[in-house]
Amino acid sequence: MSDPMTVLNAAGPVAEIRLNRPAKKNAVTLELLADLVAACEALADEPGLRAVVLSGEGGDFSAGIDLSVLMSLAGDLEGVKAEMLSMEPGQPNRFQAPAKALMDLPVPVIAAIEGVCFGAGMQLALACDFRIAAPEAKLSIMEGKWGLIPDMGISLSLPRLMAPDRAKALIMTARVLSGEEALGEGLVTRVEENPHAAALGFAEELVARSPDAVRASKALVDALWGQAGDGLRLEAELQAALMGAPNQMETVMAQMQKRAPVYK
């Protein structure tokens, strides 16, 4: 698997996927998203696979979408919007595909969260079955900072974790939470000083159980809590309406100029 996404120990019972742009705090690019989907597809039929650990290289999980991606997308807003809305009912667009691919893996996926976990990175972590965070980690559903909404599969993950009022508050304010605060909000499963080691240890616990029962347990809970495919379309429609609109552009300019926005 080529950089920036590397699959480690793919032949063993516990596979690792590591976001590998440490100089950029593992900020997400389109190439990284495509690599993550490819990694999940490679693991989906891996013989003997029992669990997957997702982490970030260099002490951070992910700082979210790389700003260079936002700038490049801004050059063809109408084309991007059309692409976002072109998916079949219940199917993800390319921005949502990595989260859906993580969810669709038949084995448990554990996110090990250190450093920052913002925006797109947060949505990738939420797509995992479990999240183990460092107490000093910083987590945020940060899209509101840029006048947007989270639209990378959060409709499939967040409803299973939070009450609607608390979810609205985090999405609307883009509040940054510590690992301990995220635990209190139900966004992470556990807080550990060494999340990566804890994730591998938990994976080994799962390996010791019947693989058939573990897979069936994941399928059962996912079915009971539901994964509303129509939410993917709603994400895309709402985001397309926001992108490039006057207030969204004012939000971006205000952030870049470090001033208070003036909304219409």
Side-chain angles (χ1 to χ4, degrees), residues 136-174:
E136 69 278 7
K138 296 180 180 179
L139 304 92
S140 176
I141 303 171
M142 193 165 272
E143 285 77 6
K145 178 180 178 180
W146 302 102
L148 297 169
I149 60 166
D151 69 326
M152 293 176 61
I154 201 168
S155 62
L156 304 183
S157 58
L158 201 59
R160 296 185 291 176
L161 299 174
M162 298 189 75
D165 58 335
R166 300 171 83 89
K168 288 174 186 175
L170 291 182
I171 292 171
M172 292 175 181
T173 64

PDB file of all heavy atoms in Angstrom, residues 136-174:
ATOM      1  N   GLU A 136      -5.234  14.029  26.962  1.00  0.00           N
ATOM      2  CA  GLU A 136      -4.935  15.382  26.485  1.00  0.00           C
ATOM      3  C   GLU A 136      -5.214  15.548  24.996  1.00  0.00           C
ATOM      4  O   GLU A 136      -4.932  16.606  24.421  1.00  0.00           O
ATOM      5  CB  GLU A 136      -3.477  15.731  26.766  1.00  0.00           C
ATOM      6  CG  GLU A 136      -2.455  14.951  25.947  1.00  0.00           C
ATOM      7  CD  GLU A 136      -2.141  13.569  26.526  1.00  0.00           C
ATOM      8  OE1 GLU A 136      -2.817  13.148  27.497  1.00  0.00           O
ATOM      9  OE2 GLU A 136      -1.225  12.916  26.000  1.00  0.00           O
ATOM     10  N   ALA A 137      -5.761  14.527  24.343  1.00  0.00           N
ATOM     11  CA  ALA A 137      -6.116  14.653  22.930  1.00  0.00           C
ATOM     12  C   ALA A 137      -7.141  15.771  22.752  1.00  0.00           C
ATOM     13  O   ALA A 137      -7.871  16.126  23.686  1.00  0.00           O
ATOM     14  CB  ALA A 137      -6.681  13.335  22.414  1.00  0.00           C
ATOM     15  N   LYS A 138      -7.183  16.331  21.547  1.00  0.00           N
ATOM     16  CA  LYS A 138      -8.139  17.396  21.237  1.00  0.00           C
ATOM     17  C   LYS A 138      -9.036  16.914  20.099  1.00  0.00           C
ATOM     18  O   LYS A 138      -8.554  16.577  19.014  1.00  0.00           O
ATOM     19  CB  LYS A 138      -7.406  18.673  20.837  1.00  0.00           C
ATOM     20  CG  LYS A 138      -6.563  19.261  21.963  1.00  0.00           C
ATOM     21  CD  LYS A 138      -5.858  20.532  21.523  1.00  0.00           C
ATOM     22  CE  LYS A 138      -5.025  21.110  22.655  1.00  0.00           C
ATOM     23  NZ  LYS A 138      -4.310  22.346  22.239  1.00  0.00           N
ATOM     24  N   LEU A 139     -10.328  16.903  20.361  1.00  0.00           N
ATOM     25  CA  LEU A 139     -11.288  16.374  19.399  1.00  0.00           C
ATOM     26  C   LEU A 139     -12.352  17.425  19.097  1.00  0.00           C
ATOM     27  O   LEU A 139     -12.805  18.132  20.002  1.00  0.00           O
ATOM     28  CB  LEU A 139     -11.962  15.103  19.925  1.00  0.00           C
ATOM     29  CG  LEU A 139     -11.044  13.942  20.349  1.00  0.00           C
ATOM     30  CD1 LEU A 139     -10.712  14.046  21.841  1.00  0.00           C
ATOM     31  CD2 LEU A 139     -11.695  12.601  20.059  1.00  0.00           C
ATOM     32  N   SER A 140     -12.746  17.510  17.829  1.00  0.00           N
ATOM     33  CA  SER A 140     -13.774  18.486  17.460  1.00  0.00           C
ATOM     34  C   SER A 140     -14.446  18.107  16.150  1.00  0.00           C
ATOM     35  O   SER A 140     -13.780  17.691  15.201  1.00  0.00           O
ATOM     36  CB  SER A 140     -13.172  19.884  17.317  1.00  0.00           C
ATOM     37  OG  SER A 140     -14.146  20.815  16.874  1.00  0.00           O
ATOM     38  N   ILE A 141     -15.769  18.270  16.120  1.00  0.00           N
ATOM     39  CA  ILE A 141     -16.516  18.251  14.866  1.00  0.00           C
ATOM     40  C   ILE A 141     -16.434  19.684  14.359  1.00  0.00           C
ATOM     41  O   ILE A 141     -17.254  20.534  14.658  1.00  0.00           O
ATOM     42  CB  ILE A 141     -17.976  17.809  15.102  1.00  0.00           C
ATOM     43  CG1 ILE A 141     -18.005  16.440  15.775  1.00  0.00           C
ATOM     44  CG2 ILE A 141     -18.741  17.772  13.787  1.00  0.00           C
ATOM     45  CD1 ILE A 141     -19.381  16.013  16.256  1.00  0.00           C
ATOM     46  N   MET A 142     -15.400  19.980  13.592  1.00  0.00           N
ATOM     47  CA  MET A 142     -14.926  21.350  13.392  1.00  0.00           C
ATOM     48  C   MET A 142     -15.463  22.049  12.142  1.00  0.00           C
ATOM     49  O   MET A 142     -15.159  23.216  11.901  1.00  0.00           O
ATOM     50  CB  MET A 142     -13.395  21.358  13.369  1.00  0.00           C
ATOM     51  CG  MET A 142     -12.760  22.726  13.474  1.00  0.00           C
ATOM     52  SD  MET A 142     -11.004  22.662  13.884  1.00  0.00           S
ATOM     53  CE  MET A 142     -11.078  22.651  15.683  1.00  0.00           C
ATOM     54  N   GLU A 143     -16.285  21.386  11.342  1.00  0.00           N
ATOM     55  CA  GLU A 143     -16.700  21.981  10.073  1.00  0.00           C
ATOM     56  C   GLU A 143     -17.415  23.320  10.248  1.00  0.00           C
ATOM     57  O   GLU A 143     -17.335  24.196   9.380  1.00  0.00           O
ATOM     58  CB  GLU A 143     -17.591  21.005   9.303  1.00  0.00           C
ATOM     59  CG  GLU A 143     -16.850  19.858   8.657  1.00  0.00           C
ATOM     60  CD  GLU A 143     -16.433  18.763   9.631  1.00  0.00           C
ATOM     61  OE1 GLU A 143     -16.821  18.838  10.827  1.00  0.00           O
ATOM     62  OE2 GLU A 143     -15.722  17.833   9.221  1.00  0.00           O
ATOM     63  N   GLY A 144     -18.113  23.503  11.365  1.00  0.00           N
ATOM     64  CA  GLY A 144     -18.812  24.764  11.600  1.00  0.00           C
ATOM     65  C   GLY A 144     -17.881  25.959  11.643  1.00  0.00           C
ATOM     66  O   GLY A 144     -18.304  27.088  11.369  1.00  0.00           O
ATOM     67  N   LYS A 145     -16.622  25.735  11.969  1.00  0.00           N
ATOM     68  CA  LYS A 145     -15.636  26.820  11.981  1.00  0.00           C
ATOM     69  C   LYS A 145     -15.474  27.434  10.598  1.00  0.00           C
ATOM     70  O   LYS A 145     -15.089  28.593  10.458  1.00  0.00           O
ATOM     71  CB  LYS A 145     -14.295  26.276  12.477  1.00  0.00           C
ATOM     72  CG  LYS A 145     -13.159  27.288  12.503  1.00  0.00           C
ATOM     73  CD  LYS A 145     -11.881  26.657  13.018  1.00  0.00           C
ATOM     74  CE  LYS A 145     -10.721  27.654  12.992  1.00  0.00           C
ATOM     75  NZ  LYS A 145      -9.459  27.044  13.490  1.00  0.00           N
ATOM     76  N   TRP A 146     -15.780  26.650   9.561  1.00  0.00           N
ATOM     77  CA  TRP A 146     -15.630  27.107   8.182  1.00  0.00           C
ATOM     78  C   TRP A 146     -16.980  27.358   7.512  1.00  0.00           C
ATOM     79  O   TRP A 146     -17.070  27.450   6.289  1.00  0.00           O
ATOM     80  CB  TRP A 146     -14.822  26.084   7.379  1.00  0.00           C
ATOM     81  CG  TRP A 146     -13.473  25.854   7.980  1.00  0.00           C
ATOM     82  CD1 TRP A 146     -13.072  24.805   8.746  1.00  0.00           C
ATOM     83  CD2 TRP A 146     -12.343  26.731   7.901  1.00  0.00           C
ATOM     84  NE1 TRP A 146     -11.769  24.965   9.152  1.00  0.00           N
ATOM     85  CE2 TRP A 146     -11.293  26.139   8.636  1.00  0.00           C
ATOM     86  CE3 TRP A 146     -12.105  27.958   7.268  1.00  0.00           C
ATOM     87  CZ2 TRP A 146     -10.035  26.719   8.768  1.00  0.00           C
ATOM     88  CZ3 TRP A 146     -10.852  28.534   7.395  1.00  0.00           C
ATOM     89  CH2 TRP A 146      -9.836  27.924   8.137  1.00  0.00           C
ATOM     90  N   GLY A 147     -18.030  27.438   8.321  1.00  0.00           N
ATOM     91  CA  GLY A 147     -19.352  27.715   7.774  1.00  0.00           C
ATOM     92  C   GLY A 147     -19.970  26.536   7.055  1.00  0.00           C
ATOM     93  O   GLY A 147     -20.852  26.719   6.206  1.00  0.00           O
ATOM     94  N   LEU A 148     -19.548  25.316   7.398  1.00  0.00           N
ATOM     95  CA  LEU A 148     -20.036  24.118   6.747  1.00  0.00           C
ATOM     96  C   LEU A 148     -20.620  23.159   7.780  1.00  0.00           C
ATOM     97  O   LEU A 148     -20.666  23.466   8.973  1.00  0.00           O
ATOM     98  CB  LEU A 148     -18.887  23.436   5.984  1.00  0.00           C
ATOM     99  CG  LEU A 148     -18.273  24.254   4.843  1.00  0.00           C
ATOM    100  CD1 LEU A 148     -16.987  23.592   4.347  1.00  0.00           C
ATOM    101  CD2 LEU A 148     -19.261  24.431   3.697  1.00  0.00           C
ATOM    102  N   ILE A 149     -21.069  22.024   7.310  1.00  0.00           N
ATOM    103  CA  ILE A 149     -21.529  20.962   8.204  1.00  0.00           C
ATOM    104  C   ILE A 149     -20.651  19.730   7.996  1.00  0.00           C
ATOM    105  O   ILE A 149     -20.019  19.581   6.946  1.00  0.00           O
ATOM    106  CB  ILE A 149     -23.004  20.588   7.943  1.00  0.00           C
ATOM    107  CG1 ILE A 149     -23.184  20.102   6.492  1.00  0.00           C
ATOM    108  CG2 ILE A 149     -23.937  21.738   8.277  1.00  0.00           C
ATOM    109  CD1 ILE A 149     -24.499  19.408   6.234  1.00  0.00           C
ATOM    110  N   PRO A 150     -20.600  18.823   8.961  1.00  0.00           N
ATOM    111  CA  PRO A 150     -19.883  17.561   8.742  1.00  0.00           C
ATOM    112  C   PRO A 150     -20.645  16.730   7.723  1.00  0.00           C
ATOM    113  O   PRO A 150     -21.855  16.516   7.861  1.00  0.00           O
ATOM    114  CB  PRO A 150     -19.874  16.912  10.128  1.00  0.00           C
ATOM    115  CG  PRO A 150     -21.042  17.522  10.839  1.00  0.00           C
ATOM    116  CD  PRO A 150     -21.170  18.914  10.307  1.00  0.00           C
ATOM    117  N   ASP A 151     -19.953  16.271   6.675  1.00  0.00           N
ATOM    118  CA  ASP A 151     -20.656  15.571   5.590  1.00  0.00           C
ATOM    119  C   ASP A 151     -19.871  14.379   5.084  1.00  0.00           C
ATOM    120  O   ASP A 151     -19.953  14.025   3.914  1.00  0.00           O
ATOM    121  CB  ASP A 151     -20.926  16.538   4.435  1.00  0.00           C
ATOM    122  CG  ASP A 151     -19.659  16.955   3.700  1.00  0.00           C
ATOM    123  OD1 ASP A 151     -18.612  17.065   4.362  1.00  0.00           O
ATOM    124  OD2 ASP A 151     -19.709  17.168   2.483  1.00  0.00           O
ATOM    125  N   MET A 152     -19.121  13.733   5.972  1.00  0.00           N
ATOM    126  CA  MET A 152     -18.320  12.587   5.571  1.00  0.00           C
ATOM    127  C   MET A 152     -18.756  11.321   6.309  1.00  0.00           C
ATOM    128  O   MET A 152     -17.955  10.566   6.838  1.00  0.00           O
ATOM    129  CB  MET A 152     -16.836  12.868   5.787  1.00  0.00           C
ATOM    130  CG  MET A 152     -16.303  13.959   4.870  1.00  0.00           C
ATOM    131  SD  MET A 152     -14.571  14.391   5.195  1.00  0.00           S
ATOM    132  CE  MET A 152     -13.748  12.828   4.891  1.00  0.00           C
ATOM    133  N   GLY A 153     -20.071  11.118   6.361  1.00  0.00           N
ATOM    134  CA  GLY A 153     -20.610   9.904   6.952  1.00  0.00           C
ATOM    135  C   GLY A 153     -21.063  10.037   8.388  1.00  0.00           C
ATOM    136  O   GLY A 153     -21.442   9.044   9.015  1.00  0.00           O
ATOM    137  N   ILE A 154     -21.079  11.261   8.913  1.00  0.00           N
ATOM    138  CA  ILE A 154     -21.461  11.437  10.320  1.00  0.00           C
ATOM    139  C   ILE A 154     -22.923  11.066  10.565  1.00  0.00           C
ATOM    140  O   ILE A 154     -23.302  10.720  11.685  1.00  0.00           O
ATOM    141  CB  ILE A 154     -21.164  12.880  10.779  1.00  0.00           C
ATOM    142  CG1 ILE A 154     -21.051  12.933  12.310  1.00  0.00           C
ATOM    143  CG2 ILE A 154     -22.221  13.853  10.258  1.00  0.00           C
ATOM    144  CD1 ILE A 154     -20.484  14.229  12.839  1.00  0.00           C
ATOM    145  N   SER A 155     -23.741  11.106   9.513  1.00  0.00           N
ATOM    146  CA  SER A 155     -25.150  10.725   9.672  1.00  0.00           C
ATOM    147  C   SER A 155     -25.291   9.254  10.036  1.00  0.00           C
ATOM    148  O   SER A 155     -26.312   8.846  10.604  1.00  0.00           O
ATOM    149  CB  SER A 155     -25.925  11.012   8.381  1.00  0.00           C
ATOM    150  OG  SER A 155     -25.408  10.248   7.304  1.00  0.00           O
ATOM    151  N   LEU A 156     -24.283   8.447   9.718  1.00  0.00           N
ATOM    152  CA  LEU A 156     -24.311   7.033  10.055  1.00  0.00           C
ATOM    153  C   LEU A 156     -23.754   6.743  11.441  1.00  0.00           C
ATOM    154  O   LEU A 156     -24.078   5.719  12.032  1.00  0.00           O
ATOM    155  CB  LEU A 156     -23.508   6.227   9.025  1.00  0.00           C
ATOM    156  CG  LEU A 156     -23.913   6.361   7.564  1.00  0.00           C
ATOM    157  CD1 LEU A 156     -23.054   5.448   6.695  1.00  0.00           C
ATOM    158  CD2 LEU A 156     -25.379   6.050   7.375  1.00  0.00           C
ATOM    159  N   SER A 157     -22.908   7.610  11.953  1.00  0.00           N
ATOM    160  CA  SER A 157     -22.194   7.318  13.196  1.00  0.00           C
ATOM    161  C   SER A 157     -22.736   8.071  14.407  1.00  0.00           C
ATOM    162  O   SER A 157     -22.996   7.463  15.456  1.00  0.00           O
ATOM    163  CB  SER A 157     -20.704   7.626  13.032  1.00  0.00           C
ATOM    164  OG  SER A 157     -20.506   8.987  12.673  1.00  0.00           O
ATOM    165  N   LEU A 158     -22.907   9.379  14.298  1.00  0.00           N
ATOM    166  CA  LEU A 158     -23.216  10.179  15.483  1.00  0.00           C
ATOM    167  C   LEU A 158     -24.567   9.838  16.111  1.00  0.00           C
ATOM    168  O   LEU A 158     -24.681   9.853  17.347  1.00  0.00           O
ATOM    169  CB  LEU A 158     -23.145  11.673  15.135  1.00  0.00           C
ATOM    170  CG  LEU A 158     -22.935  12.614  16.319  1.00  0.00           C
ATOM    171  CD1 LEU A 158     -21.650  12.290  17.070  1.00  0.00           C
ATOM    172  CD2 LEU A 158     -22.914  14.073  15.858  1.00  0.00           C
ATOM    173  N   PRO A 159     -25.617   9.538  15.333  1.00  0.00           N
ATOM    174  CA  PRO A 159     -26.897   9.214  15.971  1.00  0.00           C
ATOM    175  C   PRO A 159     -26.831   8.011  16.900  1.00  0.00           C
ATOM    176  O   PRO A 159     -27.652   7.874  17.803  1.00  0.00           O
ATOM    177  CB  PRO A 159     -27.829   8.936  14.781  1.00  0.00           C
ATOM    178  CG  PRO A 159     -27.241   9.711  13.663  1.00  0.00           C
ATOM    179  CD  PRO A 159     -25.746   9.616  13.869  1.00  0.00           C
ATOM    180  N   ARG A 160     -25.844   7.143  16.693  1.00  0.00           N
ATOM    181  CA  ARG A 160     -25.712   5.966  17.559  1.00  0.00           C
ATOM    182  C   ARG A 160     -24.987   6.283  18.854  1.00  0.00           C
ATOM    183  O   ARG A 160     -24.947   5.455  19.764  1.00  0.00           O
ATOM    184  CB  ARG A 160     -24.960   4.856  16.814  1.00  0.00           C
ATOM    185  CG  ARG A 160     -25.703   4.345  15.590  1.00  0.00           C
ATOM    186  CD  ARG A 160     -24.995   3.175  14.951  1.00  0.00           C
ATOM    187  NE  ARG A 160     -23.729   3.550  14.329  1.00  0.00           N
ATOM    188  CZ  ARG A 160     -22.902   2.691  13.770  1.00  0.00           C
ATOM    189  NH1 ARG A 160     -23.194   1.402  13.771  1.00  0.00           N
ATOM    190  NH2 ARG A 160     -21.781   3.095  13.215  1.00  0.00           N
ATOM    191  N   LEU A 161     -24.405   7.481  18.959  1.00  0.00           N
ATOM    192  CA  LEU A 161     -23.559   7.810  20.092  1.00  0.00           C
ATOM    193  C   LEU A 161     -24.120   8.894  20.990  1.00  0.00           C
ATOM    194  O   LEU A 161     -23.833   8.919  22.187  1.00  0.00           O
ATOM    195  CB  LEU A 161     -22.174   8.263  19.592  1.00  0.00           C
ATOM    196  CG  LEU A 161     -21.372   7.244  18.790  1.00  0.00           C
ATOM    197  CD1 LEU A 161     -20.105   7.890  18.253  1.00  0.00           C
ATOM    198  CD2 LEU A 161     -21.035   6.033  19.651  1.00  0.00           C
ATOM    199  N   MET A 162     -24.904   9.828  20.426  1.00  0.00           N
ATOM    200  CA  MET A 162     -25.274  11.026  21.183  1.00  0.00           C
ATOM    201  C   MET A 162     -26.749  11.344  21.051  1.00  0.00           C
ATOM    202  O   MET A 162     -27.375  11.059  20.031  1.00  0.00           O
ATOM    203  CB  MET A 162     -24.485  12.247  20.680  1.00  0.00           C
ATOM    204  CG  MET A 162     -23.001  12.165  20.817  1.00  0.00           C
ATOM    205  SD  MET A 162     -22.238  13.758  20.429  1.00  0.00           S
ATOM    206  CE  MET A 162     -22.648  14.661  21.927  1.00  0.00           C
ATOM    207  N   ALA A 163     -27.275  11.996  22.091  1.00  0.00           N
ATOM    208  CA  ALA A 163     -28.607  12.574  22.003  1.00  0.00           C
ATOM    209  C   ALA A 163     -28.569  13.759  21.039  1.00  0.00           C
ATOM    210  O   ALA A 163     -27.532  14.414  20.886  1.00  0.00           O
ATOM    211  CB  ALA A 163     -29.069  13.041  23.381  1.00  0.00           C
ATOM    212  N   PRO A 164     -29.691  14.055  20.372  1.00  0.00           N
ATOM    213  CA  PRO A 164     -29.672  15.101  19.335  1.00  0.00           C
ATOM    214  C   PRO A 164     -29.286  16.478  19.836  1.00  0.00           C
ATOM    215  O   PRO A 164     -28.623  17.229  19.118  1.00  0.00           O
ATOM    216  CB  PRO A 164     -31.102  15.077  18.778  1.00  0.00           C
ATOM    217  CG  PRO A 164     -31.931  14.344  19.784  1.00  0.00           C
ATOM    218  CD  PRO A 164     -31.008  13.391  20.444  1.00  0.00           C
ATOM    219  N   ASP A 165     -29.671  16.847  21.057  1.00  0.00           N
ATOM    220  CA  ASP A 165     -29.334  18.189  21.533  1.00  0.00           C
ATOM    221  C   ASP A 165     -27.828  18.348  21.726  1.00  0.00           C
ATOM    222  O   ASP A 165     -27.239  19.373  21.367  1.00  0.00           O
ATOM    223  CB  ASP A 165     -30.091  18.514  22.828  1.00  0.00           C
ATOM    224  CG  ASP A 165     -29.821  17.524  23.950  1.00  0.00           C
ATOM    225  OD1 ASP A 165     -29.464  16.357  23.654  1.00  0.00           O
ATOM    226  OD2 ASP A 165     -29.976  17.910  25.127  1.00  0.00           O
ATOM    227  N   ARG A 166     -27.181  17.310  22.236  1.00  0.00           N
ATOM    228  CA  ARG A 166     -25.738  17.385  22.454  1.00  0.00           C
ATOM    229  C   ARG A 166     -24.988  17.356  21.119  1.00  0.00           C
ATOM    230  O   ARG A 166     -23.969  18.033  20.946  1.00  0.00           O
ATOM    231  CB  ARG A 166     -25.294  16.238  23.366  1.00  0.00           C
ATOM    232  CG  ARG A 166     -25.967  16.285  24.738  1.00  0.00           C
ATOM    233  CD  ARG A 166     -25.692  15.030  25.543  1.00  0.00           C
ATOM    234  NE  ARG A 166     -24.409  15.105  26.223  1.00  0.00           N
ATOM    235  CZ  ARG A 166     -24.242  15.611  27.437  1.00  0.00           C
ATOM    236  NH1 ARG A 166     -25.271  16.141  28.083  1.00  0.00           N
ATOM    237  NH2 ARG A 166     -23.058  15.619  28.004  1.00  0.00           N
ATOM    238  N   ALA A 167     -25.508  16.568  20.177  1.00  0.00           N
ATOM    239  CA  ALA A 167     -24.895  16.535  18.849  1.00  0.00           C
ATOM    240  C   ALA A 167     -25.008  17.898  18.176  1.00  0.00           C
ATOM    241  O   ALA A 167     -24.034  18.394  17.585  1.00  0.00           O
ATOM    242  CB  ALA A 167     -25.564  15.461  17.997  1.00  0.00           C
ATOM    243  N   LYS A 168     -26.176  18.517  18.250  1.00  0.00           N
ATOM    244  CA  LYS A 168     -26.356  19.837  17.650  1.00  0.00           C
ATOM    245  C   LYS A 168     -25.378  20.848  18.242  1.00  0.00           C
ATOM    246  O   LYS A 168     -24.798  21.654  17.514  1.00  0.00           O
ATOM    247  CB  LYS A 168     -27.793  20.336  17.867  1.00  0.00           C
ATOM    248  CG  LYS A 168     -28.843  19.628  17.048  1.00  0.00           C
ATOM    249  CD  LYS A 168     -30.234  20.109  17.451  1.00  0.00           C
ATOM    250  CE  LYS A 168     -31.330  19.325  16.756  1.00  0.00           C
ATOM    251  NZ  LYS A 168     -32.673  19.711  17.235  1.00  0.00           N
ATOM    252  N   ALA A 169     -25.199  20.793  19.561  1.00  0.00           N
ATOM    253  CA  ALA A 169     -24.307  21.754  20.218  1.00  0.00           C
ATOM    254  C   ALA A 169     -22.880  21.614  19.709  1.00  0.00           C
ATOM    255  O   ALA A 169     -22.214  22.614  19.417  1.00  0.00           O
ATOM    256  CB  ALA A 169     -24.358  21.565  21.735  1.00  0.00           C
ATOM    257  N   LEU A 170     -22.398  20.379  19.575  1.00  0.00           N
ATOM    258  CA  LEU A 170     -21.027  20.178  19.118  1.00  0.00           C
ATOM    259  C   LEU A 170     -20.857  20.552  17.649  1.00  0.00           C
ATOM    260  O   LEU A 170     -19.842  21.132  17.257  1.00  0.00           O
ATOM    261  CB  LEU A 170     -20.610  18.729  19.339  1.00  0.00           C
ATOM    262  CG  LEU A 170     -20.445  18.292  20.797  1.00  0.00           C
ATOM    263  CD1 LEU A 170     -19.984  16.842  20.867  1.00  0.00           C
ATOM    264  CD2 LEU A 170     -19.463  19.186  21.539  1.00  0.00           C
ATOM    265  N   ILE A 171     -21.856  20.226  16.827  1.00  0.00           N
ATOM    266  CA  ILE A 171     -21.772  20.561  15.405  1.00  0.00           C
ATOM    267  C   ILE A 171     -21.855  22.072  15.191  1.00  0.00           C
ATOM    268  O   ILE A 171     -21.107  22.641  14.394  1.00  0.00           O
ATOM    269  CB  ILE A 171     -22.879  19.833  14.622  1.00  0.00           C
ATOM    270  CG1 ILE A 171     -22.625  18.324  14.621  1.00  0.00           C
ATOM    271  CG2 ILE A 171     -22.960  20.349  13.182  1.00  0.00           C
ATOM    272  CD1 ILE A 171     -23.778  17.508  14.068  1.00  0.00           C
ATOM    273  N   MET A 172     -22.754  22.729  15.900  1.00  0.00           N
ATOM    274  CA  MET A 172     -22.969  24.164  15.697  1.00  0.00           C
ATOM    275  C   MET A 172     -21.814  25.011  16.218  1.00  0.00           C
ATOM    276  O   MET A 172     -21.472  26.033  15.626  1.00  0.00           O
ATOM    277  CB  MET A 172     -24.271  24.597  16.377  1.00  0.00           C
ATOM    278  CG  MET A 172     -25.526  24.052  15.736  1.00  0.00           C
ATOM    279  SD  MET A 172     -26.992  24.507  16.708  1.00  0.00           S
ATOM    280  CE  MET A 172     -28.295  23.714  15.760  1.00  0.00           C
ATOM    281  N   THR A 173     -21.200  24.589  17.327  1.00  0.00           N
ATOM    282  CA  THR A 173     -20.175  25.423  17.964  1.00  0.00           C
ATOM    283  C   THR A 173     -18.760  25.058  17.549  1.00  0.00           C
ATOM    284  O   THR A 173     -17.839  25.860  17.730  1.00  0.00           O
ATOM    285  CB  THR A 173     -20.255  25.305  19.492  1.00  0.00           C
ATOM    286  OG1 THR A 173     -19.958  23.950  19.889  1.00  0.00           O
ATOM    287  CG2 THR A 173     -21.645  25.690  20.004  1.00  0.00           C
ATOM    288  N   ALA A 174     -18.550  23.852  16.980  1.00  0.00           N
ATOM    289  CA  ALA A 174     -17.204  23.361  16.652  1.00  0.00           C
ATOM    290  C   ALA A 174     -16.308  23.343  17.887  1.00  0.00           C
ATOM    291  O   ALA A 174     -15.091  23.507  17.796  1.00  0.00           O
ATOM    292  CB  ALA A 174     -16.561  24.195  15.543  1.00  0.00           C
TER     293      ALA A 174
END
